[in-house]
């Protein structure tokens, strides 16, 4: 059976792996993200050799999820907030020198959404939105059974919907974005502000404290859920998706975040759109980006061959 490779580049790690045509993960591993472009291309070259060695059959195609805004028209990365070396980087020819198979590049959250839709909790629906809630908030949209990339490739930036006009400053330079109010970073910031807790405390530790009955910890999750729900309310009324999938590290807190999120989303959307949508946890976890980018390569290879 043919084999496909997926890469998922993050600010700290480059995850990579192989899937078969059914989306089963055959191999995965990760490596620290190098600080420079040269180091990054070097690393991809080495990992590519490793993947070829490990693949039970020749690798047919590869997908590459990158953090940031990828312009489908110029095939350049416009802006990558967590890896500024990639800004304006012409990634297509650089990767073509390394990857000797057809490959496709897209935004990492789009790739994760495609993975969940093709092989995860989103299987079988025609419309979904995936939100990945971690250090930041990423988003990807499937509409009409297709990844919705938008006019230039910039769709799905759910993390930068304004949910609090007078709110916290966001990494994108604007104020009160969903990411600035409901990410792990925002949750920790709000908790520390309320309690004076030391730097270095994590969202997981705050969840543990909330579970142990600490009021300030519970309130930090309530607040994040309130704003996350405002974001979901916008998505529900705008898109009427069949599913909204919530992934990322913060979702490990379970009901602690989910309950206030659902309460807030219910209050901010039409009852009909809320009732139509199943809001649930994503299922592929940290593998969503690898599986999604590889599955995206499968899809594009098939449609290219269809056109040929
Ligand atoms: Zn923003």
């Amino acid at each position: 059976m043919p084999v496909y490779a997926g890469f998922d580049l993050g600010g700290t790690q480059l995850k990579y792996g192989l899937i078969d045509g059914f989306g089963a993960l055959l191999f995965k591993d990760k490596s620290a993200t190098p600080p420079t472009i040269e180091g990054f291309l070097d690393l991809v070259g080495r990992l590519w050799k490793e993947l070829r060695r490990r693949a039970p059959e020749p690798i047919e195609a590869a997908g590459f999820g990158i953090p940031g805004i990828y312009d489908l028209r110029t095939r350049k990365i416009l802006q990558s907030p967590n890896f500024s070396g990639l800004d304006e980087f012409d990634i297509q020819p650089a990767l073509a020198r390394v990857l000797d198979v057809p490959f496709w590049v897209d935004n990492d959250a789009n790739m994760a959404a495609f993975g969940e839709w093709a092989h995860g909790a989103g299987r079988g629906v025609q419309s979904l939105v995936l939100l990945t809630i971690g250090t930041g908030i990423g988003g990807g949209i499937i509409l009409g059974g297709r990844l919705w990339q938008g006019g230039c490739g910039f769709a799905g930036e759910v993390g930068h919907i304004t949910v609090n006009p007078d709110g916290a400053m966001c990494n994108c330079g604007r104020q009160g974005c969903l990411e600035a109010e409901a990410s792990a970073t925002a949750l920790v910031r709000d908790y520390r502000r309320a309690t004076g807790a030391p730097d270095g405390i994590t969202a997981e530790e705050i969840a543990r404290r909330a579970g142990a009955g600490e009021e300030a910890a519970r309130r930090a999750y309530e607040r994040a859920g309130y704003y996350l729900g405002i974001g979901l309310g916008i998505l529900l009324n705008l898109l009427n998706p069949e599913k909204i999938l919530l992934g990322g590290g913060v979702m490990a807190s379970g009901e602690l975040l989910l309950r206030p999120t659902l309460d807030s989303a219910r209050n901010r959307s039409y009852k009909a759109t809320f009732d139509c949508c199943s809001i649930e946890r994503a299922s592929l976890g940290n593998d969503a980006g690898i599986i999604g980018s590889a599955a995206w390569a499968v899809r594009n290879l098939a449609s290219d061959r269809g056109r040929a």
Side-chain angles (χ1 to χ4, degrees):
M1 186 189 288
V3 173
Y4 306 89
F7 292 86
D8 181 19
L9 178 65
T12 56
Q13 289 178 335
L14 173 59
K15 303 191 197 91
Y16 59 105
L18 297 167
I19 66 167
D20 66 16
F22 296 117
L25 196 56
L26 305 174
F27 165 78
K28 67 166 175 174
D29 205 345
K30 60 193 175 197
S31 188
T33 302
T36 64
I37 287 286
E38 295 73 30
F40 162 70
L41 292 171
D42 245 31
L43 177 65
V44 174
R46 270 182 284 130
L47 300 183
W48 182 243
K49 285 193 186 108
E50 180 194 349
L51 286 174
R52 298 225 315 190
R53 206 169 54 243
R54 289 184 179 274
E57 305 276 340
I59 300 171
E60 297 247 328
F64 217 105
I66 54 102
I69 308 261
Y70 180 68
D71 192 325
L72 285 176
R73 299 164 304 177
T74 61
R75 301 170 106 196
K76 275 188 189 177
I77 297 168
L78 286 189
Q79 196 189 349
S80 184
N82 297 316
F83 193 159
S84 55
L86 288 175
D87 288 1
E88 298 290 334
F89 182 53
D90 200 0
I91 192 167
Q92 203 78 22
L95 286 181
R97 285 196 290 276
V98 177
L99 306 176
D100 48 7
V101 296
F103 69 92
W104 287 268
V105 180
D106 210 302
N107 169 267
D108 53 358
N110 282 355
M111 294 296 87
F114 189 78
E116 290 285 349
W117 176 72
H119 300 297
R123 260 178 304 191
V125 301
Q126 292 293 302
S127 54
L128 72 79
V129 183
L130 169 75
L131 277 78
T132 305
I133 307 151
T135 315
I137 294 186
I141 300 170
I142 304 285
L143 285 182
R146 294 180 58 182
L147 177 67
W148 181 254
Q149 295 171 292
C152 305
F154 313 148
E157 290 296 333
V158 177
H160 301 282
I161 290 174
T162 303
V163 293
N164 183 8
D166 303 314
M169 286 308 296
C170 183
N171 282 336
C172 75
R174 278 161 287 273
Q175 200 177 356
C177 295
L178 181 58
E179 176 168 303
E181 302 293 355
S183 62
T185 315
L187 197 139
V188 167
R189 177 200 64 218
D190 292 334
Y191 178 76
R192 288 188 61 212
R193 197 173 287 158
T195 61
D199 197 8
I201 191 166
T202 62
E204 296 85 74
E205 169 59 18
I206 299 168
R208 198 193 59 72
R209 293 181 182 192
E214 192 192 289
E215 185 58 22
R218 198 185 51 75
R219 267 205 307 274
Y221 272 89
E222 293 270 346
R223 184 183 185 282
Y226 169 75
Y227 285 111
L228 186 55
I230 293 178
L232 297 198
I234 292 168
L235 297 171
L236 286 165
N237 278 353
L238 182 67
L239 301 174
N240 181 209
E242 290 154 85
K243 283 196 179 186
I244 292 179
L245 300 176
L246 303 174
V250 179
M251 289 315 297
S253 65
E255 285 299 305
L256 194 57
L257 181 64
L258 200 53
R259 192 195 45 74
T261 300
L262 292 180
D263 286 348
S264 169
R266 194 181 290 113
N267 286 336
R268 305 243 167 210
S269 55
Y270 269 134
K271 183 175 185 312
T273 56
F274 184 85
D275 289 346
C276 173
C277 183
S278 174
I279 300 174
E280 52 190 88
R281 294 201 28 201
S283 67
L284 298 181
N286 284 331
D287 301 335
I290 301 174
I291 294 174
S293 53
W296 183 238
V298 176
R299 160 63 60 96
N300 282 293
L301 193 64
S303 57
D304 273 13
R305 283 179 179 163
R307 270 200 297 273

